[in-house]
Amino acid sequence: MTRTVYVNGEYLPETEAKVSIFDRAFLMADGVYEVTSVLGGKLIDFDGHLARLERSLTELDMPKPKAFDELLDIHRKLVELNGIDEGMVYLQVTRGAPGDRDFAFPDPETCEATLVLFTQNKPGLAENPVAKTGIKVISIEDIRWGRRDIKTVQLLYPSMGKMMAKKAGCDDAWLVEDGFVTEGTSNNAYIVKDGTIITRNLGTDILHGITRAAVLRFAREAQMKVEERPFTIAEAQGADEAFYTSASAFVMPVVEIDGESIGTGKPGDVATRLREIYLEESRKAGV
Ligand code: PDD
């Protein structure tokens, strides 16, 4: 089925949607993005994603797209037009297409931001069978840039990390800087020890996950203990549980790190419970 996508004010069949070869995201990776999940046809954590998008734009001094205030309507319309029950909406804003290649930012008065959105249909996203068995990760050096709190489209190294994991017979990679885990290639990383959930504190070295914020809030509401601090791979390998969070995977148990089984080698109780709570509460709050 041909998707209907959104490009700069128009809803078009995906085969007719176009952006310029001079677009700054194509030439300079000068773009930011958001991924919002859809459950039961409703957008999950939409306000959080919108707030983070605004922050990414501000941090990069990138102009807001003209349709910024209509983003909820655009998301909803795409979900409806494409009949999405479970899946994702991908949104990208770029600094626009100034008509030539230049390192200097174009004048925002004459060069409008590019805005693109499309849906990804993922039936069975919530009931993903992988969450019942858990996934395996490898660790790799975190050599990304220093502003990982901005959600930019510079995803080459995370893609390479995913491929390194696949080559090693694993599902994902956890990134390590100065001996401590920062996050996963496209998710935030956690361990559980003696009932305490441990995840790296916010800063410029990780993305401030919207799912992370919600999951930590639910954990605290359920009287679980949370410590926001860095941890090492050795500490993770000695933990009772490990898991990650993201908008597209929710809460995903991790059962092996660098060939070492975590806890029982099966998804742990904390991760399983948090996944249930997150899915239940998010469905209720979807817009
Ligand atoms: N990735 N850390 C990184 C590096 C990420 O790319 C992501 C999200 C997260 C989790 O953030 P959130 O909970 O807001 O999704 C953490 C998205 C899903 C992606 O690139 O597809």
Side-chain angles (χ1 to χ4, degrees):
M1 200 188 95
T2 307
R3 268 176 290 197
T4 300
V5 303
Y6 175 98
V7 184
N8 294 331
E10 286 188 288
Y11 293 88
L12 299 164
E14 63 186 33
T15 45
E16 287 172 30
K18 289 187 179 60
V19 285
S20 164
I21 61 160
F22 298 114
D23 195 278
R24 296 273 308 179
F26 181 60
L27 297 178
M28 308 275 176
D30 192 358
V32 298
Y33 76 107
E34 283 296 329
V35 176
T36 303
S37 59
V38 178
L39 291 176
K42 300 261 195 244
L43 298 156
I44 303 303
D45 288 333
F46 180 80
D47 290 348
H49 289 286
L50 190 70
R52 186 173 61 191
L53 173 67
E54 192 165 15
R55 179 178 181 277
S56 293
L57 293 170
T58 305
E59 290 297 309
L60 293 175
D61 209 8
M62 197 181 287
K64 272 188 189 173
K66 267 195 311 203
F68 188 85
D69 294 336
E70 295 151 44
L71 284 175
L72 177 57
D73 290 342
I74 299 170
H75 276 74
R76 282 177 165 158
K77 188 158 176 189
L78 283 179
V79 167
E80 192 192 317
L81 288 173
N82 292 291
I84 308 295
D85 180 53
E86 291 196 356
M88 279 99 75
V89 181
Y90 177 87
L91 169 156
Q92 185 170 322
V93 179
T94 86
R95 205 180 300 274
D100 204 352
R101 180 174 183 267
D102 190 348
F103 280 80
F105 292 172
D107 179 355
E109 295 299 319
T110 54
C111 183
E112 264 174 37
T114 301
L115 175 63
V116 171
L117 288 94
F118 57 82
T119 53
Q120 293 184 286
N121 192 26
K122 303 271 179 196
L125 189 66
E127 285 308 313
N128 186 352
V130 179
K132 301 240 160 26
T133 51
I135 64 133
K136 298 176 183 177
V137 303
I138 56 165
S139 63
I140 60 171
E141 196 61 28
D142 194 341
I143 57 166
R144 297 173 300 163
W145 80 324
R147 288 302 307 274
R148 302 158 194 155
D149 56 314
I150 308 173
K151 198 165 172 61
T152 77
V153 297
Q154 303 173 68
L155 297 176
L156 181 55
Y157 188 64
S159 293
M160 289 168 70
K162 215 61 116 176
M163 295 315 290
M164 289 183 235
K166 273 186 191 241
K167 211 169 159 193
C170 293
D171 308 281
D172 202 4
W174 277 11
L175 305 164
V176 176
E177 186 173 55
D178 300 329
F180 292 97
V181 174
T182 50
E183 58 187 334
T185 57
S186 60
N187 45 67
N188 291 116
Y190 307 73
I191 56 172
V192 182
K193 185 69 179 175
D194 299 327
T196 299
I197 299 162
I198 302 155
T199 191
R200 195 176 177 105
N201 45 301
L202 296 180
T204 51
D205 38 22
I206 64 167
L207 185 74
H208 302 187
I210 302 306
T211 320
R212 177 190 183 279
V215 164
L216 293 186
R217 190 174 72 246
F218 296 141
R220 286 180 172 122
E221 281 169 12
Q223 315 301 326
M224 296 179 190
K225 214 177 141 211
V226 176
E227 268 178 33
E228 295 181 64
R229 63 161 175 87
F231 60 86
T232 63
I233 288 292
E235 188 180 3
Q237 288 171 325
D240 303 321
E241 294 186 33
F243 63 93
Y244 73 66
T245 65
S246 77
S248 48
F250 313 119
V251 179
M252 182 56 70
V254 171
V255 295
E256 193 186 293
I257 304 175
D258 286 341
E260 294 282 328
S261 273
I262 309 304
T264 61
K266 296 205 170 69
D269 293 342
V270 173
T272 304
R273 181 84 193 103
L274 283 175
R275 183 178 174 90
E276 282 166 11
I277 299 175
Y278 180 77
L279 287 171
E280 196 184 316
E281 295 300 322
S282 308
R283 273 181 200 282
K284 278 194 238 161
V287 295

